[in-house]
Amino acid sequence: MDEKDYTKLRERMIEKQLIARDIKDQRVLDAMRSVPRHLFVDSCNQREAYEDYPLPIGCDQTISQPYIVALMTESLQLKGPEKVLEIGTGSGYQTAILAELAEHVYSVERLESLSAKAEKTLQEMGYNNISFKKGDGTLGWPEKAPFDGILVAAAAKKVPGSLLEQLAVRGRLVIPVGDSLLQELILIIKGEKGMQEYKLCGCRFVPLIED
Ligand code: SAH
């Protein structure tokens, strides 16, 4: 397959998986139209990179289904000037989408090998607005707080308190919460006086591991 074939697959993904399921934010659709998702998976999986399901990325981890990436990103309502924290860099695909839409992305991953590989992929693509950290993301990245948006790509038993603390006022946190079988994608918006919580949908993520 050449780049033209991948561009076609990407366009079909946008129409059938995202627009058809009500993803409306034009900036999110454009970002997902431009980022070459197939370059974030192993060569044996590249043909499947635009299908409607997650794929393995090694170390028992997965790159999220395109629709879930779009839904989580859209729920952050990024306009451009934001500082975003991502927990669970994984392949770096979601990181690239965030880097297209915000001013700076801080991405934390506990597995050294995945973090290093993602950093290399994203550097080769020319992104210069991403900072990487290896470690336990449940602690956030306090030195860089507060964040306008926080996206957690692994399922927590409960929302980590440090992430709530590191969220700016009017900031948005999207996180899957639940056990290994049943999880819900939750959006939390921090107001002047307290937090508002919204349930987005059922979902299934790999677990967020507390080290
Ligand atoms: N969004 C990624 C997919 C991430 S899969 C992508 O697009 O490819 C979830 C990732 O979260 C895995 O890489 C896993 O190692 C990482 N993870 C799990 N618990 C973590 C923790 N406590 N801190 C940081 N990363 C964690």
CSV table of all heavy atoms in Angstrom, one decimal, residues 169-198:
chain,number,residue,atom,x,y,z
A,169,VAL,N,-8.8,25.7,36.7
A,169,VAL,CA,-10.2,26.0,36.8
A,169,VAL,C,-10.7,26.2,35.3
A,169,VAL,O,-10.0,26.8,34.5
A,169,VAL,CB,-10.4,27.3,37.6
A,169,VAL,CG1,-11.9,27.8,37.6
A,169,VAL,CG2,-9.9,27.1,39.0
A,170,ARG,N,-11.9,25.6,35.1
A,170,ARG,CA,-12.5,25.5,33.7
A,170,ARG,C,-11.8,24.5,32.9
A,170,ARG,O,-12.0,24.3,31.7
A,170,ARG,CB,-12.6,26.8,33.0
A,170,ARG,CG,-13.7,27.8,33.5
A,170,ARG,CD,-13.7,29.1,32.7
A,170,ARG,NE,-12.6,29.9,33.0
A,170,ARG,CZ,-12.4,30.6,34.2
A,170,ARG,NH1,-13.4,30.6,35.1
A,170,ARG,NH2,-11.3,31.3,34.4
A,171,GLY,N,-10.8,23.7,33.5
A,171,GLY,CA,-10.1,22.6,32.8
A,171,GLY,C,-11.0,21.4,32.7
A,171,GLY,O,-12.0,21.3,33.4
A,172,ARG,N,-10.7,20.5,31.8
A,172,ARG,CA,-11.4,19.3,31.5
A,172,ARG,C,-10.6,18.1,31.6
A,172,ARG,O,-9.5,18.0,31.1
A,172,ARG,CB,-12.0,19.4,30.1
A,172,ARG,CG,-13.1,20.4,30.0
A,172,ARG,CD,-13.5,20.7,28.6
A,172,ARG,NE,-14.8,21.4,28.5
A,172,ARG,CZ,-15.9,20.9,28.2
A,172,ARG,NH1,-16.0,19.7,27.7
A,172,ARG,NH2,-17.0,21.6,28.2
A,173,LEU,N,-11.1,17.1,32.3
A,173,LEU,CA,-10.4,15.8,32.5
A,173,LEU,C,-11.2,14.7,31.9
A,173,LEU,O,-12.4,14.5,32.3
A,173,LEU,CB,-10.1,15.6,34.0
A,173,LEU,CG,-9.7,14.2,34.5
A,173,LEU,CD1,-8.4,13.7,33.9
A,173,LEU,CD2,-9.7,14.2,36.0
A,174,VAL,N,-10.7,13.9,31.0
A,174,VAL,CA,-11.4,12.7,30.5
A,174,VAL,C,-10.7,11.5,30.8
A,174,VAL,O,-9.5,11.4,30.7
A,174,VAL,CB,-11.7,12.9,29.0
A,174,VAL,CG1,-10.5,13.0,28.1
A,174,VAL,CG2,-12.6,11.8,28.5
A,175,ILE,N,-11.4,10.5,31.4
A,175,ILE,CA,-10.8,9.3,32.0
A,175,ILE,C,-11.7,8.1,32.0
A,175,ILE,O,-12.9,8.3,32.4
A,175,ILE,CB,-10.3,9.7,33.4
A,175,ILE,CG1,-9.6,8.5,34.1
A,175,ILE,CG2,-11.4,10.2,34.3
A,175,ILE,CD1,-8.8,8.8,35.4
A,176,PRO,N,-11.3,6.9,31.7
A,176,PRO,CA,-12.1,5.7,31.8
A,176,PRO,C,-12.0,5.3,33.3
A,176,PRO,O,-10.9,5.1,33.8
A,176,PRO,CB,-11.5,4.7,30.9
A,176,PRO,CG,-10.1,5.2,30.6
A,176,PRO,CD,-10.0,6.6,31.0
A,177,VAL,N,-13.1,5.0,33.9
A,177,VAL,CA,-13.2,4.6,35.3
A,177,VAL,C,-13.9,3.3,35.4
A,177,VAL,O,-15.0,3.2,34.9
A,177,VAL,CB,-13.8,5.7,36.2
A,177,VAL,CG1,-13.8,5.2,37.7
A,177,VAL,CG2,-13.0,7.0,36.1
A,178,GLY,N,-13.3,2.3,36.2
A,178,GLY,CA,-14.0,1.1,36.4
A,178,GLY,C,-13.0,-0.1,36.6
A,178,GLY,O,-11.8,0.2,36.7
A,179,ASP,N,-13.6,-1.3,36.6
A,179,ASP,CA,-12.7,-2.5,36.8
A,179,ASP,C,-12.2,-3.0,35.4
A,179,ASP,O,-12.5,-2.3,34.4
A,179,ASP,CB,-13.3,-3.6,37.7
A,179,ASP,CG,-14.6,-4.1,37.0
A,179,ASP,OD1,-14.7,-4.0,35.8
A,179,ASP,OD2,-15.5,-4.5,37.8
A,180,SER,N,-11.6,-4.2,35.4
A,180,SER,CA,-11.0,-4.6,34.1
A,180,SER,C,-12.1,-4.9,33.0
A,180,SER,O,-11.8,-4.9,31.8
A,180,SER,CB,-10.1,-5.7,34.3
A,180,SER,OG,-10.8,-6.8,34.9
A,181,LEU,N,-13.3,-5.2,33.5
A,181,LEU,CA,-14.3,-5.6,32.5
A,181,LEU,C,-15.3,-4.5,32.1
A,181,LEU,O,-15.7,-4.4,31.0
A,181,LEU,CB,-15.1,-6.9,33.0
A,181,LEU,CG,-14.3,-8.1,33.2
A,181,LEU,CD1,-15.1,-9.2,33.8
A,181,LEU,CD2,-13.7,-8.5,31.8
A,182,LEU,N,-15.7,-3.8,33.1
A,182,LEU,CA,-16.7,-2.8,32.9
A,182,LEU,C,-16.2,-1.4,33.3
A,182,LEU,O,-15.8,-1.1,34.4
A,182,LEU,CB,-17.9,-3.1,33.8
A,182,LEU,CG,-19.2,-2.6,33.4
A,182,LEU,CD1,-19.7,-3.1,32.1
A,182,LEU,CD2,-20.3,-2.9,34.5
A,183,GLN,N,-16.2,-0.5,32.3
A,183,GLN,CA,-15.7,0.9,32.6
A,183,GLN,C,-16.6,1.9,31.9
A,183,GLN,O,-17.2,1.6,30.9
A,183,GLN,CB,-14.3,1.0,32.0
A,183,GLN,CG,-13.2,0.0,32.5
A,183,GLN,CD,-12.1,-0.1,31.5
A,183,GLN,OE1,-11.9,0.7,30.6
A,183,GLN,NE2,-11.3,-1.1,31.7
A,184,GLU,N,-16.5,3.1,32.5
A,184,GLU,CA,-17.2,4.2,31.9
A,184,GLU,C,-16.3,5.3,31.6
A,184,GLU,O,-15.4,5.6,32.4
A,184,GLU,CB,-18.3,4.6,32.8
A,184,GLU,CG,-19.6,4.9,32.1
A,184,GLU,CD,-20.8,4.7,32.9
A,184,GLU,OE1,-20.7,4.5,34.1
A,184,GLU,OE2,-21.9,4.9,32.3
A,185,LEU,N,-16.5,6.0,30.4
A,185,LEU,CA,-15.7,7.1,30.1
A,185,LEU,C,-16.3,8.3,30.8
A,185,LEU,O,-17.5,8.6,30.6
A,185,LEU,CB,-15.6,7.3,28.6
A,185,LEU,CG,-14.5,8.2,28.0
A,185,LEU,CD1,-13.2,7.7,28.5
A,185,LEU,CD2,-14.6,8.2,26.5
A,186,ILE,N,-15.5,9.0,31.6
A,186,ILE,CA,-16.0,10.1,32.4
A,186,ILE,C,-15.4,11.4,32.0
A,186,ILE,O,-14.2,11.4,31.8
A,186,ILE,CB,-15.7,9.9,33.9
A,186,ILE,CG1,-16.2,8.5,34.4
A,186,ILE,CG2,-16.3,11.0,34.8
A,186,ILE,CD1,-17.6,8.4,34.8
A,187,LEU,N,-16.2,12.5,31.9
A,187,LEU,CA,-15.6,13.8,31.7
A,187,LEU,C,-15.9,14.6,33.0
A,187,LEU,O,-17.0,14.7,33.5
A,187,LEU,CB,-16.4,14.5,30.5
A,187,LEU,CG,-16.1,16.0,30.3
A,187,LEU,CD1,-14.6,16.2,29.9
A,187,LEU,CD2,-17.0,16.6,29.3
A,188,ILE,N,-14.8,15.2,33.5
A,188,ILE,CA,-14.9,16.1,34.7
A,188,ILE,C,-14.6,17.5,34.3
A,188,ILE,O,-13.5,17.7,33.7
A,188,ILE,CB,-14.0,15.6,35.8
A,188,ILE,CG1,-14.5,14.2,36.3
A,188,ILE,CG2,-14.0,16.5,37.0
A,188,ILE,CD1,-13.7,13.5,37.3
A,189,ILE,N,-15.4,18.5,34.6
A,189,ILE,CA,-15.1,19.9,34.3
A,189,ILE,C,-15.0,20.6,35.7
A,189,ILE,O,-15.8,20.5,36.6
A,189,ILE,CB,-16.2,20.6,33.5
A,189,ILE,CG1,-16.4,19.8,32.2
A,189,ILE,CG2,-15.8,22.0,33.2
A,189,ILE,CD1,-17.5,20.3,31.3
A,190,LYS,N,-13.8,21.2,35.9
A,190,LYS,CA,-13.6,21.9,37.1
A,190,LYS,C,-14.2,23.3,37.1
A,190,LYS,O,-13.8,24.1,36.2
A,190,LYS,CB,-12.1,22.0,37.4
A,190,LYS,CG,-11.7,22.3,38.8
A,190,LYS,CD,-10.2,22.4,39.0
A,190,LYS,CE,-9.8,21.8,40.3
A,190,LYS,NZ,-8.3,21.8,40.4
A,191,GLY,N,-15.1,23.6,38.0
A,191,GLY,CA,-15.7,25.0,38.0
A,191,GLY,C,-15.0,25.8,39.1
A,191,GLY,O,-14.2,25.3,39.8
A,192,GLU,N,-15.5,27.0,39.2
A,192,GLU,CA,-14.9,27.9,40.3
A,192,GLU,C,-15.2,27.3,41.7
A,192,GLU,O,-14.4,27.4,42.6
A,192,GLU,CB,-15.6,29.3,40.3
A,192,GLU,CG,-15.5,30.0,38.9
A,192,GLU,CD,-14.2,30.8,38.8
A,192,GLU,OE1,-13.4,30.8,39.7
A,192,GLU,OE2,-14.0,31.2,37.6
A,193,LYS,N,-16.4,26.6,41.8
A,193,LYS,CA,-16.8,26.1,43.1
A,193,LYS,C,-16.7,24.6,43.3
A,193,LYS,O,-16.8,24.1,44.4
A,193,LYS,CB,-18.3,26.6,43.3
A,193,LYS,CG,-18.5,28.1,43.4
A,193,LYS,CD,-19.7,28.4,44.2
A,193,LYS,CE,-19.9,29.9,44.2
A,193,LYS,NZ,-20.5,30.5,43.0
A,194,GLY,N,-16.6,23.9,42.2
A,194,GLY,CA,-16.5,22.4,42.4
A,194,GLY,C,-16.5,21.7,41.0
A,194,GLY,O,-16.3,22.4,40.0
A,195,MET,N,-16.6,20.4,41.1
A,195,MET,CA,-16.4,19.6,39.9
A,195,MET,C,-17.8,19.2,39.3
A,195,MET,O,-18.7,18.8,40.1
A,195,MET,CB,-15.7,18.3,40.2
A,195,MET,CG,-14.4,18.5,40.9
A,195,MET,SD,-13.0,18.9,39.8
A,195,MET,CE,-11.7,19.1,41.1
A,196,GLN,N,-17.9,19.2,38.0
A,196,GLN,CA,-19.1,18.6,37.4
A,196,GLN,C,-18.7,17.3,36.7
A,196,GLN,O,-17.6,17.3,36.1
A,196,GLN,CB,-19.7,19.5,36.4
A,196,GLN,CG,-20.6,20.6,37.0
A,196,GLN,CD,-21.0,21.5,35.9
A,196,GLN,OE1,-20.2,22.2,35.2
A,196,GLN,NE2,-22.3,21.6,35.6
A,197,GLU,N,-19.5,16.3,36.8
A,197,GLU,CA,-19.1,15.0,36.2
A,197,GLU,C,-20.1,14.5,35.2
A,197,GLU,O,-21.3,14.6,35.5
A,197,GLU,CB,-18.9,14.0,37.3
A,197,GLU,CG,-18.2,12.8,36.9
A,197,GLU,CD,-17.9,11.8,38.1
A,197,GLU,OE1,-17.3,12.2,39.1
A,197,GLU,OE2,-18.4,10.6,38.0
A,198,TYR,N,-19.7,14.1,34.0
A,198,TYR,CA,-20.6,13.6,33.0
A,198,TYR,C,-20.1,12.2,32.5
A,198,TYR,O,-18.9,12.0,32.3
A,198,TYR,CB,-20.6,14.5,31.8
A,198,TYR,CG,-20.9,16.0,32.1
A,198,TYR,CD1,-19.9,16.8,32.5
A,198,TYR,CD2,-22.2,16.4,32.1
A,198,TYR,CE1,-20.1,18.2,32.8
A,198,TYR,CE2,-22.5,17.7,32.4
A,198,TYR,CZ,-21.5,18.6,32.8
A,198,TYR,OH,-21.7,19.9,33.1
